[in-house]
Amino acid sequence: MSDGAGATAPKPSSSVKLVLLGEAAVGKSSLVLRFVNNDFQPNKEPTIGAAFLTQKCQLPNRTIKFEIWDTAGQERFASLAPMYYRNAQSALVVYDITKPSSLVKAKHWVAELQRQASPGIVIALVGNKLDLCEDDNAEAEQADAENETEEEPSTARKVSTKEAKAYADEESLLFFETSAKTGHNVSEVFTAIANAIPETSLKGPRSGAGGGTQAAISAGQDNNRVNLNARGEAGPKEGCAC
Amino acid sequence: MESLNDTQWDVVISGTGLPQSLLALALSRSGKKILHVDRNDYYGGDEAALSLSEADEWAKKHASEPTDTTSTFSHASIAQAPTDGEPGKGKLGHSRGYSLALAPQLLHSKSSLLPALVSSKTNDQLEFQAVGSWFLVNTPPDGSASQAKLTRVPGGREDVFQDATLDLKAKRSLMKFLRFVVNYEEQGDTWEEYRDKPFSSLLEDKFGLVPASHPPILALALSTKSSTDTPSKFAVPRVAKYLTSIGVFGPGFGAVLPKWGGLAEIGQVACRACAVGGGVYVLGKGISEVQQNDDSDMKIYLTDGEVVSSKWLAGVPQDLTHSLSAIQSPEPDVWMTKSISIVSSPLASLFPPTSEGGVTPAGAVIVVQPVDTAEPPVHVFAHSSESGECPKDQCILYASSARADAQGFGVLNHAVEALLQSVGESTEPQVLWSMHYRQRYTSTHDAPSTSDSVITLQSLSPDLAFDDGTLGNVRLAWQRITDGDQEAFLKFEAREGTMEDDELT
């Protein structure tokens, strides 16, 4: 999966804050679970409030550590999201391809992100539950698992790829159709986001470009970040003025 | 669950300023049902960070004279340099490219908040940067900004030795003072009689330091008062705290700032942690009335008319006005005049590396000396674009002075101008945008007070450095609500699914 490429030499590593948004029950948490643990729970209970998870994504020349904020889609008061997309470098807006209303909600989220989030935020639009639409899901290995739940899988799709893709293109969003259940396209979404993050907006712990000085770039270190875990035992004595 | 009153809340927290948010963080693993509301439609309260358009709105809202005794901000106004499209001249960036801090307080490296953020596992969602150099700006007696001089404050013993402006005798006196101050607690007899006297008299009488050498030492105390009004009992511990903070997180600096808009970011991370723990967040709702009952939970009326019931209610005094009418503040309010300026230059010379191979600071402290020593100084916190508060090639200057008179804004402007003229750039940096305002600080009791189930948290003090008392006050509130052991305050295990940050160097 995402972290399969066993890196031998240490690569520059950067943290990327990612927020998941979307209507309730579209599979936001399941996407994260698939990405982070390569696991799937068929009847996952709704997320309460929010969840925070991390996962690394290996790119050829760097490691991206995703700090994933998974928000509750059924959140009643619409007050949570602003604190998650504040300073987020990327957002994953999820809808359910069997539920047109969820795309409407997704479009609201995209508009809100474009209005309120950081100017350079990378947004991916993701249509989830591809496994419920057997007809356009060519992957043979997925066929068995699906039929048990849906009576008419071939008609389950309610949002066409073409429609969603056209919208995504118009708004300059990355676009994927995924199945958290089978894992189809899941790691691809995160890898695409990782690739789309401008290098200049990457931050520590070992970010290169965010460092701001030549020395920082060449050393692959974020030269601004103070590491609170490195609280020196001998520090105060050594540094103090006497 | 469609409405808030379907739940029997354990704790309702009013306002998302830093003290309330730290309480939310402290309670985030308690299993208590928490409703966290804010009457504003943004997070952060008095410690918010604002984009340019949010600042516009904020300034309009706080433009007037203080309307009643509870309004914190007043006299807010925004000035923008005319954009004449002159080539080479800096331009304002995108509104959301700015994150202007209403609370740009620095944190001493020895602040108790920092280990609390580490033990509560919130540290890895925060980024701290160094506040590196300290400077003095002296204006000549005629007060003209063009003659202002910028000097760096020696940051420790080595700096003192290398300082060419000090003669040997002055160096000796200074070293004697530095040796004293870092162990001041054990040397009561040296300075006991000076506790209530001006710090400068201690420096002069006990250490033979001539008045000209006082300003750099006073600068380290970050006293908002004039030198004659700064007693030793304030300045000595403060200078000691700074000096003993140097080196805690790396050589050459003794204070840090949170990236992305000052203390606002800590509050946000704290609220997020509470939300992950199941806390419910609602913006745009305040508390309008509280009805306490002897035998059941209190009824809390929200500003939109909704009524919720809860065992506890916590907030800062401004958020609890309707339940706190009886509280009389023992001390008069303190006013600060403040400004935030966006500057058309990165002012890189204010942010030299903290040490060879050390971190590049994102913050600097500049103390602009008043011509009249009876006047309070102006403090300017400079934040580079690395703080995430402005686009590259610009920086932010946060100026403040402990006054509330009609001259206040002029004094701040003059100080910023003196700094920009003395910083030694070939083309003088311009202020592209600035916001001025006054802020009131109401002193509160030391302990969270009042009735059985309404907990008053202290608002932040006018201090320019984060006051650890805030955290202590939150801990008392947390103990009242949870009956918890104070040793367990803000100590959490990592949550499932988050890896320990093994890659920090």
Side-chain angles (χ1 to χ4, degrees), chain B residues 80-92 344 430-433:
Chain B
Q80 193 167 338
T83 46
D84 48 11
E86 218 175 285
K89 207 171 167 184
K91 280 205 314 202
L92 270 186
S344 67
Q430 303 295 317
V431 173
L432 300 172
W433 179 101

Side-chain angles (χ1 to χ4, degrees), chain A residues 18-237:
Chain A
L18 181 144
V19 58
L20 269 104
L21 299 167
E23 196 174 82
V26 295
K28 295 181 294 299
S29 303
S30 296
L31 282 170
V32 177
L33 190 64
R34 174 61 73 187
F35 175 58
V36 173
N37 289 344
N38 197 12
D39 191 13
F40 181 77
Q41 295 171 8
N43 296 305
K44 197 195 160 295
E45 69 284 5
T47 304
I48 296 166
F52 176 69
L53 298 101
T54 58
Q55 173 66 305
K56 285 180 192 166
C57 178
Q58 301 289 348
L59 297 182
N61 54 2
R62 61 171 59 246
T63 303
I64 300 286
K65 181 188 160 199
F66 279 110
E67 297 169 354
I68 303 167
W69 289 97
D70 178 15
T71 61
Q74 93 292 6
E75 202 239 315
R76 294 155 287 166
F77 310 104
S79 294
L80 268 176
M83 71 167 133
Y84 294 105
Y85 57 65
R86 178 181 148 84
N87 308 324
Q89 291 130 303
S90 57
L92 217 159
V93 181
V94 187
Y95 68 96
D96 174 349
I97 61 172
T98 70
K99 202 175 167 201
S101 68
S102 69
L103 180 62
V104 175
K105 182 70 191 167
K107 288 179 179 176
H108 284 156
W109 280 123
V110 170
E112 178 156 351
L113 287 169
Q114 289 171 339
R115 204 171 57 240
Q116 304 284 358
S118 311
I121 189 167
V122 173
I123 306 173
L125 180 71
V126 171
N128 191 34
K129 306 200 183 176
L130 190 60
D131 49 277
L132 298 181
C133 313
E134 192 193 40
D135 54 344
D136 52 336
N137 187 355
E139 263 83 349
E141 79 270 14
Q142 294 167 7
D144 311 329
E146 290 146 14
N147 293 335
E148 52 197 313
T149 50
E150 283 296 313
E151 291 150 64
E152 292 181 314
S154 59
T155 60
R157 176 189 281 274
K158 296 277 171 29
V159 178
S160 77
T161 310
K162 199 177 151 200
E163 179 200 346
K165 175 81 167 75
Y167 166 72
D169 287 347
E170 199 177 303
E171 300 293 338
S172 309
L173 317 174
L174 299 169
F175 175 70
F176 288 89
E177 289 189 338
T178 61
S179 165
K181 185 169 177 179
T182 67
H184 178 77
N185 256 354
V186 174
S187 66
E188 283 80 352
V189 176
F190 289 88
T191 308
I193 291 173
N195 276 312
I197 304 277
E199 288 215 0
T200 48
S201 73
L202 292 174
K203 57 171 186 143
R206 288 187 188 169
S207 139
T213 67
Q214 284 306 313
I217 290 166
S218 58
Q221 299 276 332
D222 183 336
N223 205 34
N224 291 111
R225 191 182 184 116
V226 171
N227 181 5
L228 298 195
N229 294 314
R231 198 182 170 98
E233 295 299 320
K237 268 262 167 339

Side-chain angles (χ1 to χ4, degrees), chain A residues 13-15 17 36-37 48-56 63 65-67 69-70 74-87 89 112-121 200-206 209-213 216 221-242, chain B residues 1-4 7 9 43 49 54 94 96-97 99 109-111 114-115 117-118 123-130 155-157 175 178-179 182-183 243-244 246-249 253 256 259-261 264-265 268 271-273 275-283 285 357-362 386 392 495-499 501-505:
Chain A
S13 162
S14 321
S15 300
K17 182 175 160 187
V36 173
N37 289 344
I48 296 166
F52 176 69
L53 298 101
T54 58
Q55 173 66 305
K56 285 180 192 166
T63 303
K65 181 188 160 199
F66 279 110
E67 297 169 354
W69 289 97
D70 178 15
Q74 93 292 6
E75 202 239 315
R76 294 155 287 166
F77 310 104
S79 294
L80 268 176
M83 71 167 133
Y84 294 105
Y85 57 65
R86 178 181 148 84
N87 308 324
Q89 291 130 303
E112 178 156 351
L113 287 169
Q114 289 171 339
R115 204 171 57 240
Q116 304 284 358
S118 311
I121 189 167
T200 48
S201 73
L202 292 174
K203 57 171 186 143
R206 288 187 188 169
T213 67
Q221 299 276 332
D222 183 336
N223 205 34
N224 291 111
R225 191 182 184 116
V226 171
N227 181 5
L228 298 195
N229 294 314
R231 198 182 170 98
E233 295 299 320
K237 268 262 167 339
E238 188 186 318
C240 93
C242 67
Chain B
M1 285 213 303
E2 281 306 319
S3 77
L4 292 171
T7 303
W9 301 101
Y43 284 96
E54 286 166 338
H94 192 291
R96 278 176 275 139
S99 187
S109 297
K110 277 197 147 179
S111 165
L114 297 171
L117 293 171
V118 172
N123 161 46
D124 42 349
Q125 294 151 37
L126 286 161
E127 193 165 332
F128 284 94
Q129 298 167 320
R157 185 157 64 169
M175 297 309 297
L178 293 176
R179 270 196 305 275
V182 295
N183 290 310
L243 291 175
T244 56
I246 294 175
V248 168
F249 296 120
F253 66 98
V256 296
K259 190 173 177 173
W260 303 116
E265 187 66 6
Q268 283 276 284
C271 288
R272 274 180 231 149
V276 169
V280 169
Y281 279 79
V282 185
L283 292 177
K285 277 188 204 204
V359 293
T360 303
E386 295 298 337
K392 283 223 176 314
R495 283 196 187 266
E496 208 181 321
T498 61
M499 35 188 197
D501 219 331
D502 50 317
E503 56 201 334
L504 287 166
T505 46

